[in-house]
Amino acid sequence: MNRAKKICFGILMLLFFLVGFVEDEPIKELTEKFNSYNEIFPQNKLVLTFNQPEYAPGDTVFFKAYLLNEDLMPIKGRQVASLVLVDEDGNEAIRESFTISNGAAVNQTVLPNDLNGGVYKLVAYTNWMKNFSSKMYFSQILHVASENYFEPKQDQPVKMDLFPEGGNMITGLPIRIVAAATRGDVPATAEGRIVDSKGNELTRFVCDKTGLASFEITLSDQMQYTLEVLPEGVKTRIQVKEEGYSLHVDQEGELLNVLISPQLERVTKEGVYVIATSRSKIRYASVISLSENKSSSVLIPVKNIPEGILQISLFDSKLNELASRLVYVDHQNEPSVSIRLDKESVATRSTISFGVSISDQNGQVKNADVTISGIYCDLFSGIPTADFQEQLLVGSDIPESNYFLNEVDLNIREGLALLDKYLITKEWERFHWSEVLINKRRIPTHRPQDILVYNGIASFRDTGKPVPDSTQVLFFLQKNIFGYEVNTVGDGIVTWPVYFDFYGDENVMYSMESKGKTLANTSIRLLHDSLPGVKAPLVTRSDKQDPYYTFNTIAKVANTAYGYRWNEEAPKIVNANPNAALEDELEGADFSINVDDYVVFPTMEDLFREIVRFVQNRKVGGKQTLRMLSTDSNNPMMGDPLYVVDGIATKNTDFILKMNPGDIATIKVINNVKKLRNLGGITKNGVVFFQTKVANMRSLIPKNDIINIRGLNRPMQFSTTPNQQSERTPYLKSSVYWSAQPQFNENGLISDTFYSADNTGAIKVRVQGITSDGIPFDKEETVQVSFKSN
């Protein structure tokens, strides 16, 4: 009998699979538009994992970034990504850039020493992702330690919303409703009830720690209904519809049972269309007929649908969306990850060796992109740890799901049931059917970027008006000694691509010219991507002490208390000339004088007139200027030269002429046209170098023509070994191992060794990543560290 049932079930499954796509004109049109949209606008997923779950001010936050397509395959090539840290007021504490190559990046950001402890939101995105909703950027809560833990503010009012399954609150039909309660955008436990216009209580419910409660109810078109939050008594009118469609989904083994119930004033014999999509592909499509307001079911086989979020949508023959529902397809096909530690327990400052292998369900070795970390997990017992598999399959598709995923375990049935409730409260943000079907947007506004691109507004400083169109803006990167020019477009907009990699902070001097004349008193205001509505949740200090903050405070003192810098030589001064690098780039000076060889001149005008060759002091329109004589008589120099004072470049002639000649040690001049071409237009009118005797001269130079920008983050090496010079030198660490690019050997094994620190506790060795065929995994083992006495 059981065998017969299995055969029947198999035939039924095959039948559903074969008829999953029905040839019908609306389905054909919908499929064509959907495929066309996704061909032009392919989706990306950006997910970051971190070396530990919490940090303190001044800590280095090491991370691994995965940039994947919807099939969880690496995005080929190179892209520049932005990383932003935002506080509870939406203010940016950090904004940096890093590169991703072939779908992966290993990098870091350093938290400022003066950063306040609290809860922040870390956001990361690429330029291509700006074509879509900013809700789909990577977003995660970042905990910055203080003396006590932080918890959501409890003095915020409870906000409660009702979400009918399928999206329609319809009268006359039994509807499954999920109530979601939040306090300051954080899930909250709360009680609520629904009452009708006669004061009768239809149902009472309690939202659990995930902020969710579900119930089934039938509403009448003869009544009005109110949602009441208890005990505050806040009331909200419930908006209901008298007609429409409800959508109810249950999973029955390998099938999704989709129950469609119409509530229509006029009986229609038109078919309705059921479309199921995931990972930018239509996985199921069929048409069904509904008559006399009777319900009908559709069975969708999930065997060939990849694990993750599936959107089920209902359309009429004119392709109007009637209802929609998100469900999670779970195959439990995580690969087998083996972590073999050489010891179950070790002493302080001892070696820990491990081996990692990954195989499929048949025991076959699988290749994977792996990240391995080792942390003293007891220090972070009060901070939730994000599961990489859940992040990738759920969190990357459902915005603001951090708190929910921290409360549930999707590896158990109860967790999946909670996820099913949670998805009823969410809408699909990766695309909207209305946009797909009417083809609003056919050309992407933003292209993938493999270089840094800066945007700004060029204007006059005194009036605020934009500079003329096609104004030439000449840039000079002072640390990297590189100059080139771009032109403004309408309203002073300047787009400035940097065609080489530079790292860290950079001071950029600029000058502007229009129709061959230098524009005075100009400024550039750099523009940054706006992140509207992106804020960290409101929190307050709890009474519970944070063990990581206490440990970190002690470790910072202990690890440096014995730092005598043994065996280190004093730094040698290679070249005392602060202008040497730029002089070398221009192949040396054409003329040089030692000012001390001459009598002291009262003014800079006198000094230039008497002893500096090739530079002339003139008055143009009543204003003092300097002009340099060119080595090419056919191309005279028509503007003020570039001045370099103790390594700082400026175009401020007024400052130069007000300098004290007695403060100057040497002056050098470059007017050779061939040399000046090395740095482009910024040096076309020559260069004058000043080396002064004033220690703080660099700080006195006006910075009106200098803007500060930040380049890429250069990846730093994570140290996994203690200082072996002396065991008496403290070695206290929270994170003792971090390898984001380990390599498999010929036997499919990753093996390595690291050291325990001088602190005791349990070290959690965590292995996470994604296989070459796009299946994520997350596994951990622990080793105990005890104190070693001498």
Side-chain angles (χ1 to χ4, degrees):
M1 184 67 180
N2 290 336
R3 184 172 181 272
K5 284 183 178 180
K6 289 182 180 179
I7 293 174
C8 290
F9 179 78
I11 294 173
L12 186 63
M13 286 287 291
L14 178 61
L15 180 62
F16 281 127
F17 177 73
L18 293 175
V19 300
F21 285 86
V22 178
E23 283 295 330
D24 190 276
E25 193 60 36
I27 290 180
K28 182 180 178 183
E29 179 184 352
L30 186 148
T31 303
E32 289 176 350
K33 289 183 176 180
F34 183 75
N35 291 339
S36 175
Y37 177 87
N38 286 293
E39 184 177 350
I40 298 172
F41 295 97
Q43 295 283 338
N44 289 179
K45 291 188 176 189
L46 178 60
V47 175
L48 274 60
T49 64
F50 302 90
N51 67 308
Q52 61 187 45
E54 183 187 22
Y55 299 90
D59 277 357
T60 299
V61 180
F62 290 92
F63 64 84
K64 172 76 172 284
Y66 294 87
L67 181 62
L68 310 171
N69 63 23
E70 287 235 74
D71 290 324
L72 306 186
M73 294 289 106
I75 302 293
K76 299 298 183 183
R78 166 176 147 144
Q79 292 195 39
V80 173
S82 299
L83 181 143
V84 186
L85 190 67
V86 179
D87 66 14
E88 61 182 23
D89 295 320
N91 300 317
E92 295 183 3
I94 292 174
R95 175 175 282 274
E96 296 175 335
S97 301
F98 63 96
T99 57
I100 303 174
S101 298
N102 295 321
V106 182
N107 215 292
Q108 74 290 315
T109 184
V110 179
L111 300 183
N113 286 313
D114 59 353
L115 187 68
N116 293 325
V119 173
Y120 293 79
K121 181 170 288 188
L122 189 145
V123 180
Y125 59 94
T126 65
N127 198 60
W128 175 257
M129 294 171 70
K130 287 153 60 175
N131 289 302
F132 310 94
S133 169
S134 59
K135 295 178 182 179
M136 301 314 300
Y137 296 170
F138 171 80
S139 174
Q140 183 166 308
I141 299 299
L142 189 78
H143 297 265
V144 178
S146 186
E147 291 184 20
N148 297 79
Y149 283 125
F150 293 89
E151 60 185 18
K153 279 191 174 181
Q154 297 300 312
D155 58 354
Q156 303 293 305
V158 172
K159 180 177 181 291
M160 188 175 288
D161 296 291
L162 299 180
F163 297 91
E165 186 175 15
N168 299 318
M169 191 79 78
I170 310 168
T171 61
L173 293 174
I175 302 175
R176 185 187 182 195
I177 294 176
V178 175
T182 56
R183 195 189 298 271
D185 296 327
V186 175
T189 57
E191 186 177 5
R193 67 173 186 160
I194 295 178
V195 297
D196 63 20
S197 50
K198 293 183 178 181
N200 299 315
E201 181 179 292
L202 276 70
T203 186
R204 184 180 290 242
F205 53 87
V206 176
C207 298
D208 60 18
K209 63 181 180 179
T210 65
L212 304 177
S214 66
F215 51 89
E216 191 172 287
I217 195 171
T218 301
L219 304 176
S220 170
D221 58 2
Q222 304 300 314
M223 289 284 184
Q224 293 181 349
Y225 299 93
T226 300
L227 168 65
E228 185 175 345
V229 181
L230 303 175
E232 292 90 344
V234 178
K235 299 179 181 179
T236 306
R237 175 80 176 273
I238 300 174
Q239 302 296 324
V240 298
K241 300 178 181 179
E242 294 185 2
E243 62 176 352
Y245 294 81
S246 74
L247 203 60
H248 180 77
V249 181
D250 284 315
Q251 183 156 358
E252 299 174 357
E254 293 293 319
L255 298 172
L256 290 175
N257 185 359
V258 182
L259 179 66
I260 303 166
S261 302
Q263 177 69 297
L264 304 173
E265 293 182 0
R266 181 174 58 86
V267 176
T268 176
K269 293 185 178 180
E270 286 188 356
V272 293
Y273 298 85
V274 182
I275 307 295
T277 63
S278 75
R279 299 192 184 183
S280 296
K281 292 181 178 62
I282 295 180
R283 305 292 177 175
Y284 177 90
S286 67
V287 57
I288 63 170
S289 297
L290 299 173
S291 59
E292 299 180 1
N293 290 347
K294 291 184 179 180
S295 301
S296 183
S297 290
V298 171
L299 297 175
I300 300 177
V302 298
K303 182 178 181 181
N304 295 298
I305 297 175
E307 188 166 9
I309 307 295
L310 178 74
Q311 183 186 33
I312 301 173
S313 302
L314 194 65
F315 296 88
D316 63 16
S317 59
K318 296 180 181 179
L319 297 186
N320 297 308
E321 192 172 11
L322 306 174
S324 182
R325 166 81 150 91
L326 300 181
V327 298
Y328 183 74
V329 175
D330 175 44
H331 291 310
Q332 296 288 335
N333 61 348
E334 185 175 350
S336 175
V337 179
S338 173
I339 306 174
R340 294 182 292 277
L341 298 169
D342 65 334
K343 308 176 187 73
E344 293 183 357
S345 63
V346 298
T348 52
R349 204 178 295 208
S350 298
T351 59
I352 301 171
S353 298
F354 66 86
V356 173
S357 61
I358 301 170
S359 59
D360 60 19
Q361 301 300 324
N362 299 319
Q364 296 296 313
V365 173
K366 294 182 74 69
N367 193 20
D369 189 324
V370 179
T371 301
I372 305 175
S373 61
I375 65 169
Y376 278 84
C377 54
D378 298 339
L379 297 174
F380 308 102
S381 57
I383 302 297
T385 302
D387 182 277
F388 179 66
Q389 186 179 27
E390 294 177 1
Q391 274 188 300
L392 199 54
L393 296 178
V394 179
S396 63
D397 285 327
I398 306 300
E400 305 300 329
S401 56
N402 291 291
Y403 277 100
F404 173 81
L405 292 176
N406 288 338
E407 294 290 345
V408 300
D409 182 1
L410 299 187
N411 292 312
I412 60 176
R413 183 178 301 177
E414 292 79 5
L416 291 173
L418 285 171
L419 176 59
D420 190 61
K421 281 198 298 186
Y422 180 69
L423 291 177
I424 290 176
T425 71
K426 297 299 178 181
E427 294 182 354
W428 194 240
E429 295 289 351
R430 288 206 169 273
F431 70 87
H432 298 283
W433 277 111
S434 58
E435 186 177 73
V436 171
L437 295 174
I438 64 175
N439 295 329
K440 273 186 184 178
R441 208 172 43 170
R442 301 312 305 159
I443 300 176
T445 305
H446 305 278
R447 298 289 181 180
Q449 288 181 351
D450 60 354
I451 59 172
L452 284 171
V453 178
Y454 298 91
N455 296 289
I457 301 292
S459 61
F460 291 101
R461 187 175 289 108
D462 50 354
T463 66
K465 293 182 178 180
V467 299
D469 293 355
S470 300
T471 292
Q472 188 180 54
V473 184
L474 300 98
F475 291 105
F476 176 58
L477 281 74
Q478 304 200 59
K479 292 181 180 179
N480 288 273
I481 311 179
F482 192 85
Y484 58 95
E485 51 273 348
V486 296
N487 292 322
T488 63
V489 294
D491 298 322
I493 296 174
V494 55
T495 298
W496 171 30
V498 182
Y499 294 105
F500 66 95
D501 288 349
F502 73 96
Y503 301 92
D505 296 322
E506 173 64 274
N507 297 319
V508 180
M509 199 219 75
Y510 64 87
S511 177
M512 301 188 202
E513 297 179 2
S514 179
K515 298 180 180 179
K517 295 184 178 180
T518 300
L519 300 181
N521 202 25
T522 57
S523 68
I524 292 180
R525 177 171 59 90
L526 290 179
L527 302 177
H528 294 301
D529 297 329
S530 61
L531 297 173
V534 176
K535 297 180 180 179
L538 297 174
V539 295
T540 186
R541 292 181 188 274
S542 71
D543 296 330
K544 188 177 180 181
Q545 286 191 333
D546 187 334
Y548 176 64
Y549 179 82
T550 304
F551 168 82
N552 183 266
T553 302
I554 296 171
K556 282 183 176 179
V557 175
N559 289 341
T560 58
Y562 297 86
Y564 295 112
R565 300 186 179 275
W566 294 321
N567 301 326
E568 287 190 13
E569 295 182 4
K572 296 179 181 179
I573 299 176
V574 178
N575 196 324
N577 179 7
N579 303 321
L582 184 52
E583 289 179 24
D584 290 343
E585 190 72 21
L586 293 172
E587 303 176 26
D590 297 319
F591 173 74
S592 177
I593 62 168
N594 186 343
V595 178
D596 286 339
D597 292 342
Y598 299 84
V599 296
V600 176
F601 292 92
T603 66
M604 290 296 292
E605 291 95 329
D606 295 326
L607 186 149
F608 277 111
R609 183 176 59 253
E610 297 296 334
I611 66 172
V612 182
R613 295 173 57 188
F614 308 121
V615 182
Q616 298 179 345
N617 176 220
R618 299 177 182 175
K619 261 191 178 180
V620 178
K623 180 179 175 60
Q624 291 284 353
T625 65
L626 293 175
R627 294 290 184 270
M628 189 172 289
L629 298 176
S630 172
T631 58
D632 183 356
S633 58
N634 295 320
N635 294 287
M637 296 177 180
M638 305 300 293
D640 288 355
L642 177 71
Y643 311 108
V644 183
V645 183
D646 289 350
I648 301 295
T650 181
K651 281 270 193 175
N652 195 319
T653 299
D654 289 341
F655 170 77
I656 297 299
L657 293 177
K658 290 177 182 177
M659 290 173 65
N660 181 0
D663 291 338
I664 300 173
T666 61
I667 298 177
K668 298 179 181 180
V669 173
I670 298 178
N671 69 331
N672 185 300
V673 174
K674 292 182 179 180
K675 293 181 181 180
L676 296 172
R677 288 173 185 159
N678 290 348
L679 292 180
I682 198 72
T683 56
K684 66 181 179 181
N685 292 316
V687 183
V688 183
F689 294 96
F690 300 87
Q691 184 175 343
T692 77
K693 309 170 187 176
V694 181
N696 64 336
M697 178 60 74
R698 293 166 64 95
S699 64
L700 301 177
I701 301 171
K703 305 300 191 296
N704 291 338
D705 56 355
I706 293 177
I707 53 176
N708 300 313
I709 63 173
R710 185 167 180 82
L712 297 168
N713 272 10
R714 188 190 296 275
M716 295 179 359
Q717 187 69 33
F718 182 89
S719 175
T720 60
T721 57
N723 183 345
Q724 295 300 305
Q725 290 178 336
S726 171
E727 289 194 1
R728 295 186 178 183
T729 303
Y731 177 63
L732 302 177
K733 290 195 73 174
S734 57
S735 183
V736 289
Y737 189 81
W738 167 256
S739 178
Q741 294 176 312
Q743 299 297 312
F744 290 90
N745 63 23
E746 63 277 7
N747 298 318
L749 182 69
I750 298 172
S751 58
D752 204 353
T753 298
F754 63 93
Y755 286 83
S756 60
D758 290 336
N759 42 305
T760 61
I763 294 179
K764 178 171 68 177
V765 178
R766 186 178 181 189
V767 177
Q768 53 188 337
I770 186 166
T771 63
S772 57
D773 53 352
I775 302 176
F777 54 85
D778 198 328
K779 181 76 178 293
E780 59 190 45
E781 296 287 350
T782 59
V783 56
Q784 194 68 35
V785 180
S786 57
F787 179 69
K788 178 180 70 173
S789 59
N790 292 327

